[in-house]
Each structure stands twice: as structure tokens, then as C-alpha cells.
Amino acid sequence: MNTIIVPREWRRVAEEIKHGAKTGIILGRTDSGKSTLCKYLIQTWTASRVRVGYVDSDLGQSTIGFPTTVSLKIYDTPHHPRNDANPPYLQFVGNTAPDGFLVQTLHAVKMMADKSRQQGAEITLIDTAGFIDGPVARILKQHKIEMLRPQWILALQAGDEMEHLLKGYEKMGWQVIRLTCSEHVAARSQAERQKYRTEKYKAYFKHARLTDCSLHRVVFPSCILGTGERIDPSVLPNKLCIHAPNRPYLEKCGNELLIIADAADALIPVSPLKESFGVASVILIERDGLKDLLVGLNDDNNCTWDLAPSLIPTLLPAN
């Protein structure tokens, strides 16, 4: 904080909302200073013996966590960069942007906000991504606010770039506090942001090791993989033969038939397969798309373990 000139209004707001607020959400465009504001608030409040939970939901430029995750850290003492290593709570989303992952992102934020309260945080700060333009951004932000029901919304603006969101929130009864961006926040190029993610990946996987895991020891919540009846392709009649470089992996579960083949352009007799197995859909996954795949491993409470997940090219059976 000694290297940043904090705007006077930041100091005023920190004192104003310190008492009585339980949850707050920070909105702003990319490079508006959201994370800087959060660090300032954490330092200010913990110096007054307020326990603060910091939920970092910026999937691509996470401050305390790992790209593709929503993370939580509880602060009892003033913020220090070294405290950002190995956040105690993570929730894997699986992408560096919320596009196409809205449900997963909302679920992860809710889990981390609930965990913050369970850990005794008096104030929970939700730091968001700079995703504010377009209908998808509006949907994500609106449902996040409805879900968290914060006592206040802190909006960092250089001009009026978020008024299309803020005026609507105010009409719905939410308390919005507008703040100007710090003049000392440095903008980063797309290349710099990509480099930041790469460095995060390298640091996280520095001591990672390869490991084999049986397909039937894990659960894939959004896929039938490992939950159905495996089918040996060698016993299929000629009219159901799947022409691919290597034998495909087949599994039937309920009304679906899963096929994992070496190439997406493998010749699949979809209609005969549906008729023969009595399924409504045939799902084809290219095996190469499952190699070097980043995954999150969750515990019994569905929280992601904070460990370096293995790159698992041998997770699937060879045949």
C-alpha cells in the first residue's frame, strides 16, 4: 500500500461501511483497480481487528488463487503479498473466463462466500472479473448480486462505463457506491495478462508429478463417463462397427451412449447405434481432447483440493 496513493474517497468509504456490512461486491472494468481496492480494504479493516473473507472470482487474473478457479482467503491481519500463496479454499470452474461457464462460476462464488461466513468472516469481499459489457455480462452480474444479496455494491469507474448496470441495480433497491479509479493503477496488455496466467501455471505445477488414476475411482459430474455399462467394441455386429484408427471406448448409461475415439471424424453409424442400444443420443468425444486436460479434484464436501492437479494423459483406458 505504500507504493499506491489511495484516493481520499476510498478511505472515507472504508470507514463508512466497516460496521454493519456483511457482504460487499466490487465491480469494475478490467484494470480499474478492483483488486487494489480489495487489498486496501483488507488492510484497513484487519488493522481494526475485523476478520475479512476475500473471494477472488476473477477466473483469468486471479490474485490469490489459480487461473480457472474461484478462491477464498480469510484475513485476520493486514494484507501482505506473501499471504496470497496457497489459498486455503478453492473451487474449480474450468475456464479462464465465465463465457459458457455461468452456472459453474455462480456455484463456485456461492460456495466460497458461504465458506467465508462459516469461517467467521465479519465482512466478505467479492472481487469480480472485468466482464461488464454485453447481455451475458449483465446476466452474470445480476444473478451474482441476487444470489449473494450484498449490503452494498462498490463500483469503480473512470467515467460512466458501468451506468448501464448500476442504474438498474439502484432501481431494484441495491445500495451502490460509486468510486473513481486510482490514477496509479497500471493497465496491462493482453500479452501481459497471458504472461501473468502462464507464470501462475508454472508456479503452481512446479512440483507436480504424473500419476495414473483408474477411471472408475473418480466421478465426472457433468459427464456419464465411468457411470454406465462398458461395451466391448469387438462384440458389435458389422452394421454397428465404428471405423477409427484404434478401438474406441464405449459406455451406455440410461438414454445415452458415450463414444471416445481417436479422431472426431471417425465413421460413427449413429442411427443404427441408437436403434440397437435403445438410446436417444450418442455422444462423441475425441480422445486427444482429453490429454493434458486441466482438472479439479474435489473432496467429499465438493470443495476443490488445493494441490497441483496432475496432467492425466493416461486416465482413460487404452482400448
Side-chain angles (χ1 to χ4, degrees):
M1 288 293 102
N2 293 332
T3 62
I4 298 174
I5 299 176
V6 178
R8 181 178 300 177
E9 61 179 351
W10 287 20
R11 301 179 189 274
R12 174 183 56 79
V13 167
E15 185 62 29
E16 179 183 327
I17 63 180
K18 180 173 65 175
H19 303 290
K22 294 182 179 180
T23 305
I25 189 168
I26 316 295
L27 303 182
R29 195 185 291 279
T30 299
D31 296 325
S32 61
K34 296 186 298 297
S35 297
T36 302
L37 174 60
C38 287
K39 290 176 183 178
Y40 169 70
L41 293 175
I42 291 168
Q43 178 163 327
T44 300
W45 291 337
T46 54
S48 299
R49 300 181 182 275
V50 175
R51 193 173 213 209
V52 182
Y54 176 36
V55 177
D56 182 357
S57 64
D58 191 339
L59 301 177
Q61 299 291 297
S62 54
T63 301
I64 63 172
F66 180 75
T68 71
T69 67
V70 174
S71 53
L72 163 69
K73 188 161 183 70
I74 304 295
Y75 289 93
D76 291 297
T77 58
H79 177 275
H80 190 282
R82 284 196 298 270
N83 292 339
D84 289 340
N86 302 317
Y89 304 107
L90 292 173
Q91 191 63 36
F92 184 73
V93 172
N95 201 36
T96 56
D99 308 55
F101 289 75
L102 298 188
V103 173
Q104 295 92 326
T105 301
L106 289 170
H107 172 70
V109 171
K110 182 65 163 59
M111 285 196 68
M112 293 297 95
D114 288 348
K115 179 67 70 173
S116 176
R117 287 188 287 271
Q118 292 166 11
Q119 296 302 309
E122 297 168 74
I123 302 178
T124 298
L125 280 175
I126 314 294
D127 191 1
T128 62
F131 184 46
I132 65 170
D133 294 316
V136 177
R138 288 196 293 273
I139 291 171
L140 176 62
K141 291 292 193 290
Q142 179 58 40
H143 283 281
K144 191 177 291 186
I145 289 169
E146 291 283 355
M147 177 182 68
L148 298 171
R149 306 199 69 79
Q151 280 70 45
W152 39 263
I153 299 168
L154 283 180
L156 285 166
Q157 292 195 107
D160 61 354
E161 65 270 19
M162 282 199 302
E163 290 304 312
H164 64 289
L165 297 173
L166 303 181
K167 289 180 179 178
Y169 298 152
E170 287 178 320
K171 289 181 180 179
M172 288 184 285
W174 300 107
Q175 184 176 351
V176 176
I177 301 176
R178 293 170 173 80
L179 297 173
T180 57
C181 303
S182 171
E183 298 177 357
H184 300 272
V185 175
R188 290 180 294 173
S189 66
Q190 188 62 38
E192 289 172 323
R193 299 172 73 81
Q194 179 61 51
K195 181 181 178 182
Y196 176 83
R197 281 195 294 271
T198 300
E199 290 173 350
K200 280 273 193 175
Y201 288 134
K202 287 181 179 179
Y204 194 76
F205 288 110
K206 184 177 181 180
H207 301 293
R209 67 182 186 276
L210 293 177
T211 184
D212 293 340
C213 182
S214 169
L215 177 67
H216 299 286
R217 290 181 57 197
V218 293
V219 175
F220 301 87
S222 59
C223 181
I224 66 171
L225 186 60
T227 62
E229 173 191 0
R230 186 171 177 182
I231 300 167
D232 186 347
S234 65
V235 303
L236 296 177
N238 289 335
K239 70 172 184 175
L240 299 179
C241 283
I242 299 172
H243 300 285
N246 294 300
R247 292 173 64 188
Y249 174 90
L250 287 85
E251 185 175 328
K252 180 182 181 294
C253 185
N255 214 21
E256 297 176 304
L257 178 67
L258 173 68
I259 302 174
I260 300 176
D262 283 334
D265 59 353
L267 186 58
I268 309 293
V270 175
S271 294
L273 284 169
K274 286 183 177 181
E275 182 180 353
S276 178
F277 289 102
V279 297
S281 60
V282 174
I283 302 168
L284 174 62
I285 299 177
E286 187 175 357
R287 185 178 272 119
D288 282 346
L290 297 176
K291 292 182 178 179
D292 298 334
L293 187 66
L294 182 68
V295 301
L297 301 177
N298 289 2
D299 60 19
D300 292 340
N301 296 317
N302 203 29
C303 287
T304 304
W305 285 331
D306 181 25
L307 48 80
S310 300
L311 297 176
I312 46 173
T314 56
L315 176 64
L316 296 176
N319 296 321

